[in-house]
Amino acid sequence: MKRWMGKFKALMLFTFLTILLAGCGKENLTALDPKGYGAEISFNLILYITFIMIGVFVVVMVIYTIVLLRYREKKGQENEIPVQVEGNTKLEIVWTVIPIILVIIILIPTIFYTFDLADTSEASTSINVDVTGNQYWWHFEYQDEEVSTSQDLYIPTGEKVYLNMISSDVIHSFWVPTISGKMDVNPENVNTMYIEAYEEGVYWGKCAELCGSSHSLMDFKVIAVSPEEYEQWITDMQNVDPEEVPADAVAQEGQDLFQNNCMGCHALGSAPSGVGPNLTNFGDRTHFVGYLEPTKENLVDWIMDPETLKPGNKMTGTYDVTEEEADKIAEYLMQLKPSEVTPESAGGIID
């Protein structure tokens, strides 16, 4: 009895933890609350397949219960051998054909939506962004716009945005679950998908392919704003002058230090991406390094010891600055805010 009670308690604890953890997560990092076309299709397929499987389970359990009650051994039948049905042709056909039909029912909409999401026929008349996956960050170049940025991808609501994706190192996977499905990002070839957000918001993206020691920290954001705000953001980014001197004296020193120590790897404006992310609008980002809040203290800690905060990054050991110099560089970077269109424009920052 005690052993049975122990197992029951363990089962109840496991059930409670499952329900509790199922409720954890982020409002803007879930496939169960679609805010975009790709996510909506995926969610509908999830429901469709789930209902079919529930139906199969119910039918099987009903048949099982009927057989269990009707054909159970009764008193006086202990030595009676029931009629054997092995080799019954009709039964064999039934339980072979039914699973095939179910697979076909699931397969048809899955294939249709797969080709639908891979359709690039409207790419030439839509926004195109070249996406590069790196260990452990993302770079975005807007075709024909001369705009480059990293980590935060700005898109207009209600429009298809085509992403042409390639990796600079290992295989990554681009996934913004609230507005789209996922796509592998390979070093050998360009994979194209499109995303479309129904409403404004700051949506979390994840790398869904194990790519190294800091894979779990390879987060990024998609900032969906109104079409008018998007056009304004593009214009603002195009007008960035990387050589503009900040008004603050400390930031001026930070700019000089940044140019001497960081410009070999990072870029400002539309310059090609280097080993590190483009920092043109660093001061407007919701997070940096994928997960850290954009405070000056966090930025100084990152500059002084990046390996502790994001193991395996390519920034570690490539420069030598004092904490005072790091503070000045941080002051400069925090002032890089070229546009009034920010994550707050899309409804605020969601942690």
Side-chain angles (χ1 to χ4, degrees), residues 12 31 33 82 116 123 142-143 145 162 180 258 269 273 288 305 313 347 350:
M12 292 303 295
D33 184 22
D116 182 26
Y142 292 73
Q143 288 185 9
E145 302 288 2
Y162 286 82
S180 74
F258 177 81
S273 173
F288 74 98
D305 188 10
N313 74 88
I350 302 176

Side-chain angles (χ1 to χ4, degrees), residues 152-222:
D152 284 5
L153 173 66
Y154 282 74
I155 65 171
T157 57
E159 296 185 33
K160 291 182 178 179
V161 177
Y162 286 82
L163 308 177
N164 308 295
M165 301 182 291
I166 194 167
S167 169
S168 67
D169 35 57
V170 299
I171 297 176
H172 301 284
S173 183
F174 186 95
W175 188 32
V176 191
T178 309
I179 60 175
S180 74
K182 65 181 69 170
M183 175 73 76
D184 277 355
V185 182
N186 305 318
E188 297 90 2
N189 60 285
V190 175
N191 286 337
T192 300
M193 67 178 290
Y194 67 83
I195 60 175
E196 180 181 357
Y198 292 151
E199 57 188 66
E200 296 181 24
V202 181
Y203 303 103
W204 283 61
K206 306 286 288 186
C207 176
E209 182 77 31
L210 180 60
C211 57
S213 55
S214 288
H215 157 72
S216 63
L217 306 179
M218 193 173 166
D219 293 3
F220 63 100
K221 311 293 182 297
V222 173

Side-chain angles (χ1 to χ4, degrees), residues 41-322:
I41 286 177
S42 300
F43 181 67
N44 289 339
L45 279 176
I46 290 173
L47 292 181
Y48 178 70
I49 295 172
T50 299
F51 288 144
I52 290 176
M53 293 301 100
I54 290 175
V56 171
F57 177 77
V58 170
V59 170
V60 170
M61 292 309 297
V62 168
I63 295 175
Y64 172 77
T65 302
I66 292 173
V67 171
L68 188 67
L69 295 177
R70 183 173 179 180
Y71 298 104
R72 71 186 188 280
E73 184 180 87
K74 299 179 178 64
K75 189 174 182 179
Q77 297 178 334
E78 290 81 2
N79 297 319
E80 183 177 330
I81 298 176
V83 178
Q84 303 300 296
V85 294
E86 70 271 8
N88 187 299
T89 303
K90 291 181 179 179
L91 282 178
E92 294 285 352
I93 291 175
V94 168
W95 61 48
T96 300
V97 170
I98 290 179
I100 292 175
I101 293 174
L102 290 174
V103 170
I104 293 174
I105 291 173
I106 293 172
L107 191 63
I108 291 174
T110 301
I111 292 176
F112 174 81
Y113 286 133
T114 298
F115 278 93
D116 182 26
L117 292 175
D119 181 20
T120 60
S121 59
E122 299 179 26
S124 60
T125 58
S126 301
I127 298 170
N128 281 262
V129 181
D130 293 333
V131 179
T132 304
N134 307 274
Q135 291 177 308
Y136 303 92
W137 56 281
W138 298 87
H139 181 68
F140 310 109
E141 292 190 14
Y142 292 73
Q143 288 185 9
D144 305 320
E145 302 288 2
E146 294 187 355
V147 171
S148 296
T149 184
S150 300
Q151 294 301 94
D152 284 5
L153 173 66
Y154 282 74
I155 65 171
T157 57
E159 296 185 33
K160 291 182 178 179
V161 177
Y162 286 82
L163 308 177
N164 308 295
M165 301 182 291
I166 194 167
S167 169
S168 67
D169 35 57
V170 299
I171 297 176
H172 301 284
S173 183
F174 186 95
W175 188 32
V176 191
T178 309
I179 60 175
S180 74
K182 65 181 69 170
M183 175 73 76
D184 277 355
V185 182
N186 305 318
E188 297 90 2
N189 60 285
V190 175
N191 286 337
T192 300
M193 67 178 290
Y194 67 83
I195 60 175
E196 180 181 357
Y198 292 151
E199 57 188 66
E200 296 181 24
V202 181
Y203 303 103
W204 283 61
K206 306 286 288 186
C207 176
E209 182 77 31
L210 180 60
C211 57
S213 55
S214 288
H215 157 72
S216 63
L217 306 179
M218 193 173 166
D219 293 3
F220 63 100
K221 311 293 182 297
V222 173
I223 318 296
V225 296
S226 68
E228 296 76 20
E229 288 177 316
Y230 173 76
E231 291 299 329
Q232 182 61 51
W233 181 81
I234 287 290
T235 301
D236 293 339
M237 292 292 285
Q238 289 173 334
N239 292 329
V240 168
D241 179 8
E243 302 297 326
E244 182 179 354
V245 179
D248 182 85
V250 176
Q252 290 177 16
E253 294 184 55
Q255 183 183 38
D256 292 336
L257 289 166
F258 177 81
Q259 291 176 343
N260 293 331
N261 293 278
C262 310
M263 285 297 285
C265 297
H266 296 283
L268 297 175
S270 59
S273 173
V275 177
N278 183 294
L279 302 178
T280 302
N281 59 343
F282 181 89
D284 288 333
R285 293 184 184 170
T286 63
H287 293 77
F288 74 98
V289 196
Y291 73 101
L292 289 177
E293 293 185 7
T295 65
K296 186 176 179 181
E297 180 181 3
N298 283 342
L299 184 51
V300 171
D301 289 342
W302 164 251
I303 295 172
M304 294 304 298
D305 188 10
E307 188 65 24
T308 299
L309 297 174
K310 198 167 189 177
N313 74 88
K314 296 178 182 178
M315 184 169 162
T316 301
T318 59
Y319 56 92
D320 182 19
V321 297
T322 65

Side-chain angles (χ1 to χ4, degrees), residues 4-18:
W4 181 86
M5 284 300 294
K7 292 181 179 179
F8 177 76
K9 290 178 180 178
L11 177 62
M12 292 303 295
L13 177 61
F14 178 77
T15 303
F16 171 76
L17 289 175
T18 300

